[in-house]
Structures are given as C-alpha cells and as structure tokens.
Amino acid sequence: MPSSTPPTDASPSPLRQMVWRLVLWTLGLMAAGLVGLMMVVAVALAVAYPNLPDVSELAEYRPKLPLRVYSADKVLMGEFGEERRSFTPIKDIPQVMKDAVLAIEDARFFQHGGVDYLGVVRAGLANVRSFKSQGASTITMQVARNVYLSAEKSYTRKIYEILLTFKLEHTLTKDQILEIYMNQIFLGNRAYGFAAASETYYGKPLKDITVAEAAMLAGLPKAPSSFNPIANPKRARARQLYIIERMQDNGFITAQQAQAAKNETLRIRSNADPGRMHAEFIAETVRQLMVAQYGNEAYTRGLNVYTTANAADQMAAYRALRRGIMDYERRQIYRGPEKFINLPADPKEAEEAIDEALADHPDNGDVMSAVVLEAGPKKVVAVRANGETVEISGEGLKPAQSGLSGKAPPHIAIRRGAIIRVMKTADGKWEITQLPEVEGALVALDPRDGAIRALVGGFDFGKNKFNHVTQAWRQPGSSFKPFIYSAALEKGMTPATVVNDSPLFFDAGVTGGQPWEPKNYDGQFDGPMSLRTALKKSKNMVSIRVLQAVGAQNAQDWVTRFGFEADKHPPYLTMALGAGSVTPMQMVTGYAVFANGGLRVNPYLITRITDQQGKVLVQTPPQVPNESARAIDARNAFVMSSLLQEITRSGTAARAQAQLKRPDLYGKTGTTNDSIDTWFVGYQPTLVAGVWMGYDKPRKLGDRETGGGLSLPVWINFMDHALKNVPVTEPAVPAGVVNLGGEWYYEEYARGSGVTSLGVDGRGADAGPAPIQVLPPSEERRRILDLFRN
C-alpha cells in the first residue's frame, strides 16, 4: 500500500548555507589574524627583545643625587642639581607610604607578572561606562617607562614598554622594582622620590610620615602639578581623600584610621614657611666652590658638604637683618602697589583672577602679597594667596598713608584690585608694607679660628643674588677708625693722649683738587679730649689729626696687617674717615684681630665633604692660628679692646651693653658721608659680627640714618640670640700693659702722667706741625715730638 507521507528535502536552505559560510570565514579570518598577530609578536620579540636595554644594572640602582650643603649641626641648608632626590632603600621606606602608593597605583602589584590583565579589563569597562580614559599601567610598567623610554605616545613605544615590563619582572624582585619606583618617580617641585617629596612638602623625614601625609604624596605621581598641595591645595585634598578610601578598601587601614586621616590637618611647607632654613648665600658660595673643584659632577655624584655655620645662628642672622631692613622701610615713602588687576563681580571668576595674579607675586618670607578687596582711609581689606582675608586698620595703615589719600596719584593709590604687601607686627596685627629697595649684609665668625657661623648676603636671595658680604665694596666710614688708632698706639700715643677737636681746612694746594673742610657728624667741635673720648664720640677732627701724626703711608702699611688691601686705601688723610673700600667680610676679619689678641685668621666655611655613602673625601682641620699669624702685638689688641668696649658702654653704641646686659662687648659704629652706608662691627671674645646697610646704587639713606640707628639694632638682635648661655668673658691683661688711674698704658709709656696734648692746625699735612703743648714730661712727649719732626 503506497505511503501517504510526502518526501522530505534533506538539503539545507540557501540562507542557512550563507550563514554557515560566513561563520566559517569569520572563524578562519580570526584564526589567521591570531596566527598573524602571534607571528608579528614573535618577530617583534625576535627583533626588539635583543635590543632592549640591559636592566640588570637596576639591581644596583643608584640614581643621580644632588649636591647637599649642611650646617655644622647637620641641618640641610641647600641642595643643587636638576633633581631633588634622596635615595632610600626599600627596607627604610615606611609601610604606610608603600601601602598608599599601592592602593592608588597598583593594588595587585605583588600578584601580577608585570601586566595586570584584570586591571586592564576593569579599566576598559570603566572607560565604556564613563566615556573617560582610565589607565591600567602597573608600577613595573611605569618604571620601564620612566627609566628607559621617552614621553612619545606610539604603538611602538607601547610594545617596548610591555617587553621591558616582562624583562624587569624576570630580572628583578618585586621589592627591587618597588624601590626603584619609590625613588625615581617625579613628584613636583623638583622632588624625585618620596623621601625628597616628604622633605619638600612637609619638611620632615619620610620615616615620620602619617597616613594622611602619605595619602597626599601618593596622589602626586598621576599629575604632579594638578595635585600639588602647594599650588593646588583643593585638588590635592580631593585626591588625598580618595586615596584614603582606596587604602581602606584594600585593607591597608581600618575605618577608624581612615577617618582619623581624613580629619588630620596637614602642615604644608611653602616657600614662605617661617620654619624654612634660610642659608641661600652660604649654599651658593659652597656650590661655586664645589663646581670649581668637581665640575658638573658636583650636581650628580651625591656630595655632602658640611660647613662651619650654626643653623640657629644662621636663622637668627637672617631674621635680624630682615627685621632691621623692614624697620627702615617703614620710615620710607610709600611707592605704591606692585600691580593692579580687574576683579570680576562673579566670586568664582574673581577668585581665579586673584590666584593667577598672586602666583606672579609670591610671598617673600614674612612680607606677603595680597589683593585689595576694598579700601578706605580707615580700613583696607585684602585676601592672600591661601584664601585668608586680612583687615588692616589704625597703625597698620600708616606706612601706606600716602596711598590712601584722596589726592594720591593713580599709580600709588590703594584701591580694589591693587596687589600690595602686608606683614604682621610684633603684636600680631597686620600692616601694609612694601618690598624694600635698600640692601644689607650680616656676617659672623669665630675670631679664635675664622670659622664662619652665619652669613646673610642680602635681604632676599631670590630677589637679589649679589652677595654683599663678599662682593660689595663700600666705604666703611667711622667703623675703620679703630685701625688708625691701633697704628697710633704703635707710634707712642695712649688712650689718654689729648687731641684738639677743632676745625680743619685743607686748600687745593694741599689736596691737589678741591678744597676740603671736614666736619664732625653733629657739626659741633668740643675742643681738647683724650683719644678714648674721641673714639667713643667718633670725632672726625681727632681722627684726622691722629692720622697726620701717624703718617698716611704708615697707616696704609699698618692696615694691611688686618687683611685690608693697600690699593683700596690710598694714603691720604681721608683714610681717617674710612674713605677707602672694604667688604663686610674684610671688616669682621679685621676686628677679629682685636678680639683674639692680635692674631690674623682666615675665614673658612667648609669642614668636610663626603660622598653619598658617607665616605670622607675632604677633611679640613681646625684653623687655629699660632704666633706665625700674629698681626699686631697682644698689648695693642688689648688696649684697642678697652677703647672699643668704652664705645659699647657710653659711646655711639651704648645701646649694646644696655640692651644685652653684659660688659664683654666691643665695637664701633660707622656712617659715611651723606649717610650712604651705615655699619656696626663688634665682638664678644668668642664671636665677631658685622652689619652693613645701604643701596646697591649708592644714595642717601636719610639725614638721620646712622650706623647706631640702622646697623647696631640688627647686630644687637643677632647677638641677643648668638650669645645666649655664653658666659661673660673678658681678655686677660697681657704682659707689658699697666693700669694707672683707671687707664691702660704700654708699660714703657706709663712713667709720668702719660698725658700729652696734641693740636694740629688747619694748614694741612705738608704745612709742618703746629705747636704741641706738653703737660708733665714723659716718654710719650718725646715720641710724639719725634713723630712731628719726621
């Protein structure tokens, strides 16, 4: 019986056949592509891998280290090199720092083999969701990139990066790779490595870092500028909080530790930080010496240079000089704001304008910049770079009164948008000020061996790198008189010798040029007086007469014993008034001869140099002078100290003993013609210091400005710190000196009264001696008469 079921067509439909062919072709192409890719990779490996750099040298990783300059008490005073870096072995890097870095940069660092495939997938998914690029570079990949590759972005470089990553993982241990990363990575502000960054941003060693501080630093590798806590504190804070959460998510810290870290207030170290060490002029001096010795290697071989400077004394000198200069600046005419900007009405736009403007006018230590928000004759409100709003009123407006007057010229008027300078007074109130134009210098050394204890070459190294201590040749004025008096002691005079303080006139025939009629500073003439009284009152007429008696050529020869250059002090009578040229360093070196009993010392700064491992390369032995360095007789130094002590007790520098409340202080003020330069140079037997103030382009400081009013307060301020806990020390009386009637004499001049009256008229040095009125006969009388006969 025939079947009723229709026949079945077993052949596939054309559509199905096309699908199958497409699938097979796709699979074939994928397989071919995979094989091709593998062949390309194989070829790349075969070609590129042998050309990869030898990474085995990283097993002994030693980066370029900067030149570092330290004080005698091992405080960092400065460093030089393209990179601020301090190599720290992995075992010395605190765990909290490593955890913070791993949490944000590569949490699976110890699990993957160089490329974190899970991280790549996770980053890819995140990119799809957020439409933003998210990287998946591991720490090993970053090391490969930072150490060996350029910043070029290309597929070729990426292939090399991956190959180098595998090679690094094969050659080095995880700890070695992490050590390189932690020391090599750039973290902003010229800091490379986390140890250098800790010092740069916090002023503390890495071993003392907290969770909050570590999280802040860990945010820097991604974008050192954008997340810089100094330049962009808000963005840095947001990044820090995110990293703290990542540390908690990865189990590195507990919830309690995370919350404590978020609540911690960080103290970021800025350039205006009052605690920052300021020894820029010392550091620069050392840099020049090291480059002269080692060439450009000085910047990369990790030299550590230890100096004679004391860190606390250095900071005291820095603050004392700046305070003295700013005190002077308060008395000057207000020169107006530094710049004017337009402040938009929109607060956010105004904030951006202020940030941009103040970035170009950074704080200068305690002299801070601010933008005026509102200004009136009784109150000025301004905002600083850190967002702090300051209000100035009352006495704080006085230094800028002319800028608040309704008649003030446009370039001087203080108004909204003006960039001004403010600082805090001793009582904590704000006042308007201005960056000074005047300059100054302070240098202090130990007169017993010449070791420099403090050196400040100007108001601000960043503003003016000229080192006024060693490079400024200025007239010393009356501070040079002690060297003339010292010569007089060797010519037979004594502190009791009487000289007439009366007018002098030298015509053109004598001077060879313009007529010269010298004056005393106060314009008064006090008649006959002893050398002791004349020096303490700084009488110019007496000094000139003394130099006439000594002889200008003799005096020129004599001052070279103290280290002065003869050609800088021509043998003319003007030398008696300090018309030659000296540097502050020369002055303190000269006064050191009086302080140490007559010995010449050579100032020195460096005690030793070591390499990065601490091996001593150079050791400077103590520079204690012996009798071969004798410049003047011990008796001369002792009597001169007695005269200089009188000046600090009852003379032009009487404030010294009165304020420091100790008798063992010796020194001399100095003010040049028209008050162009002011000086005070003085000492205690263990420390000699000199202060100079003036303009780089010489001009009058002011009719009432003197060494006693300008330079002496700086010296007192410095010595108040430097002599704390230093016992009172007065020099022993040397052999051959006797005291008669309360006055000191050389033994051979003590017979009789030792009192002689010396009076020279105004006919000039070549006109012959004027009559000398002599009191009781003595050896001194005969010596003085001989001087005038010669």
Side-chain angles (χ1 to χ4, degrees):
M1 179 176 184
S3 170
S4 60
T5 306
T8 305
D9 187 359
S11 60
S13 67
L15 181 60
R16 184 176 295 179
Q17 286 180 342
M18 287 181 63
V19 170
W20 275 108
R21 285 194 187 101
L22 186 59
V23 170
L24 290 174
W25 272 101
T26 302
L27 291 174
L29 287 172
M30 290 176 65
L34 182 60
V35 171
L37 179 62
M38 292 176 65
M39 290 178 66
V40 170
V41 171
V43 171
L45 287 171
V47 174
Y49 200 84
N51 294 322
L52 293 176
D54 181 11
V55 300
S56 61
E57 63 185 25
L58 287 181
E60 296 296 327
Y61 172 71
R62 288 294 180 270
K64 293 179 180 179
L65 297 176
L67 164 68
R68 289 192 172 89
V69 182
Y70 293 92
S71 66
D73 42 342
K74 299 181 180 179
V75 175
L76 182 66
M77 305 181 92
E79 58 183 341
F80 300 92
E82 292 181 6
E83 305 170 356
R84 287 177 180 160
R85 196 192 301 275
S86 181
F87 177 72
T88 309
I90 192 67
K91 63 181 177 62
D92 295 332
I93 298 175
Q95 190 62 44
V96 66
M97 190 70 253
K98 290 184 279 191
D99 289 343
V101 169
L102 293 175
I104 191 62
E105 292 294 330
D106 194 353
R108 288 176 25 82
F109 174 70
F110 287 101
Q111 283 76 51
H112 62 66
V115 177
D116 185 4
Y117 301 105
L118 289 177
V120 171
V121 172
R122 185 168 53 249
L125 292 174
N127 292 342
V128 171
R129 285 196 301 267
S130 63
F131 297 100
K132 291 182 181 179
S133 176
Q134 189 175 108
S137 291
T138 64
I139 282 177
T140 312
M141 293 169 74
Q142 292 183 59
V143 169
R145 184 165 60 241
N146 293 331
V147 175
Y148 292 110
L149 300 176
S150 68
E152 172 199 10
K153 290 186 177 182
S154 67
Y155 290 112
T156 302
R157 199 211 69 164
K158 195 65 179 177
I159 291 172
Y160 270 95
E161 180 182 314
I162 294 172
L163 294 177
L164 272 171
T165 296
F166 288 135
K167 193 168 186 178
L168 285 170
E169 288 279 346
H170 177 73
T171 306
L172 306 178
T173 67
K174 286 288 189 179
D175 275 350
Q176 286 176 318
I177 294 170
L178 187 58
E179 179 181 84
I180 295 168
Y181 178 84
M182 301 289 281
N183 285 281
Q184 181 74 18
I185 194 73
F186 176 60
L187 299 170
N189 278 40
R190 289 181 40 235
Y192 287 77
F194 288 93
S198 181
E199 292 286 355
T200 298
Y201 294 109
Y202 304 129
K204 64 193 295 188
L206 187 61
K207 64 182 178 65
D208 297 332
I209 208 162
T210 66
V211 172
E213 291 168 336
M216 181 71 80
L217 294 185
L220 290 167
K222 181 178 177 66
S225 297
S226 298
F227 299 123
N228 187 309
I230 296 175
N232 292 294
K234 291 180 181 178
R235 296 186 68 179
R237 171 64 172 164
R239 179 78 170 162
Q240 177 211 30
L241 294 176
Y242 174 65
I243 293 173
I244 292 172
E245 292 174 359
R246 293 281 296 160
M247 291 178 74
Q248 181 183 348
D249 293 342
N250 283 279
F252 293 133
I253 57 175
T254 65
Q256 290 79 8
Q257 288 174 310
Q259 191 58 48
K262 290 177 181 180
N263 294 337
E264 182 179 333
T265 300
L266 300 189
R267 185 178 181 275
I268 304 299
R269 186 184 190 190
S270 68
N271 290 330
D273 188 343
R276 180 179 289 271
M277 186 68 193
H278 285 283
E280 294 87 351
F281 289 97
I282 288 179
E284 172 60 15
T285 300
V286 171
R287 183 197 69 80
Q288 293 177 14
L289 294 171
M290 293 301 98
V291 171
Q293 178 70 27
Y294 298 101
N296 287 333
E297 280 191 6
Y299 299 124
T300 60
R301 60 185 293 182
L303 295 176
N304 298 306
V305 183
Y306 295 88
T307 68
T308 57
N310 176 276
D313 288 349
Q314 176 63 28
M315 284 305 296
Y318 171 80
R319 294 189 184 108
L321 183 63
R322 284 179 67 93
R323 176 179 169 184
I325 288 175
M326 293 311 297
D327 284 346
Y328 169 79
E329 195 60 45
R330 286 188 185 92
R331 301 193 290 274
Q332 306 313 302
I333 296 173
Y334 187 63
R335 296 183 292 275
E338 296 178 13
K339 189 178 179 180
F340 298 92
I341 63 171
N342 292 319
L343 289 182
D346 180 79
K348 287 187 178 181
E349 292 181 5
E351 185 178 339
E352 291 177 1
I354 290 169
D355 289 344
E356 184 177 343
L358 293 183
D360 295 330
H361 296 263
D363 291 346
N364 187 305
D366 54 354
V367 184
M368 294 162 273
S369 57
V371 173
V372 174
L373 300 179
E374 58 178 274
K378 294 186 177 180
K379 184 178 73 171
V380 171
V381 178
V383 61
R384 292 183 52 215
N386 63 0
E388 179 185 7
T389 299
V390 298
E391 186 175 304
I392 309 107
S393 59
E395 292 293 315
L397 297 176
K398 278 193 174 181
Q401 202 65 52
S402 60
L404 296 170
S405 167
K407 298 180 180 179
H411 68 285
I412 292 178
I414 297 176
R415 58 183 183 272
R416 179 176 168 82
I419 299 176
I420 62 172
R421 293 282 167 171
V422 297
M423 67 184 299
K424 280 192 173 181
T425 60
D427 58 1
K429 294 181 179 179
W430 290 101
E431 73 172 3
I432 297 177
T433 186
Q434 56 192 344
L435 285 174
E437 293 180 343
V438 74
E439 274 292 355
L442 190 159
V443 59
L445 58 81
D446 189 330
R448 297 166 296 185
D449 62 4
I452 296 171
R453 297 301 182 205
L455 186 155
V456 186
F459 177 78
D460 175 56
F461 182 79
K463 174 172 166 272
N464 186 352
K465 293 178 173 55
F466 185 78
N467 189 340
H468 297 84
V469 167
T470 58
Q471 296 176 286
W473 291 91
R474 309 294 294 222
Q475 289 188 343
S478 295
S479 62
F480 198 74
K481 289 176 181 175
F483 304 108
I484 306 301
Y485 277 60
S486 171
L489 293 181
E490 292 305 301
K491 292 296 184 179
M493 297 187 193
T494 76
T497 299
V498 175
V499 182
N500 193 16
D501 176 35
S502 60
L504 284 168
F505 177 79
F506 302 90
D507 59 32
V510 174
T511 64
Q514 296 295 320
W516 181 42
E517 187 175 9
K519 303 286 185 184
N520 286 321
Y521 174 77
D522 59 6
Q524 303 297 313
F525 302 99
D526 295 339
M529 63 181 64
S530 69
L531 288 189
R532 178 176 292 276
T533 299
L535 188 59
K536 83 173 184 178
K537 291 185 175 182
S538 199
K539 289 294 186 175
N540 291 338
M541 302 304 103
V542 173
S543 294
I544 294 171
R545 287 189 165 95
V546 168
L547 180 57
Q548 282 184 304
V550 170
Q553 186 60 60
N554 290 334
Q556 184 193 48
D557 294 340
W558 184 258
V559 300
T560 61
R561 292 170 174 254
F562 298 87
F564 299 109
E565 300 173 27
D567 62 342
K568 299 287 187 182
H569 301 274
Y572 306 126
L573 292 180
T574 52
M575 181 168 38
L577 308 185
S581 295
V582 299
T583 67
M585 182 67 83
Q586 284 186 329
M587 289 298 286
V588 296
T589 304
Y591 272 69
V593 175
F594 296 138
N596 66 25
L599 301 176
R600 172 89 174 271
V601 294
N602 293 314
Y604 73 103
L605 185 59
I606 297 173
T607 57
R608 76 179 188 278
I609 305 170
T610 69
D611 63 15
Q612 57 183 326
Q613 275 85 38
K615 178 183 176 182
V616 177
L617 304 177
V618 177
Q619 183 85 46
T620 304
Q623 305 292 298
V624 179
N626 52 34
E627 280 300 313
S628 66
R630 182 159 293 285
I632 61 175
D633 191 278
R635 301 184 306 171
N636 189 302
F638 177 83
V639 174
M640 284 307 306
S641 286
S642 170
L643 293 175
L644 294 173
Q645 188 178 37
E646 189 67 45
I647 295 171
T648 65
R649 178 168 50 235
S650 61
T652 57
R655 292 171 61 182
Q657 289 194 35
Q659 290 185 222
L660 295 176
K661 302 188 186 309
R662 54 188 303 154
D664 57 340
L665 302 175
Y666 317 78
K668 180 72 182 77
T669 55
T671 308
T672 62
N673 279 349
D674 295 325
S675 297
I676 288 174
D677 300 274
T678 68
W679 294 81
F680 184 78
V681 189
Y683 57 90
Q684 191 269 349
T686 64
L687 191 67
V688 55
V691 177
W692 164 85
M693 285 179 64
Y695 289 98
D696 279 341
K697 291 183 178 179
R699 58 186 170 99
K700 291 180 67 171
L701 289 162
D703 292 335
R704 300 192 174 200
E705 304 295 354
T706 65
L710 273 184
S711 297
L712 176 60
V714 176
W715 188 89
I716 292 173
N717 197 349
F718 168 70
M719 284 296 205
D720 185 41
H721 165 85
L723 296 181
K724 274 182 181 172
N725 302 319
V726 175
V728 171
T729 307
E730 299 199 49
V733 181
V737 176
V738 296
N739 188 290
L740 291 176
E743 187 56 272
W744 295 103
Y745 300 90
Y746 285 8
E747 191 173 36
E748 60 268 32
Y749 302 155
R751 293 185 296 275
S753 70
V755 178
T756 303
S757 177
L758 178 65
V760 181
D761 65 14
R763 294 174 294 165
D766 297 329
I772 300 174
Q773 295 181 339
V774 182
L775 293 175
S778 69
E779 177 69 18
E780 181 181 24
R781 168 198 171 191
R782 287 192 293 274
R783 286 178 175 268
I784 295 295
L785 287 171
D786 286 342
L787 284 173
F788 276 85
R789 292 190 186 102
N790 293 334

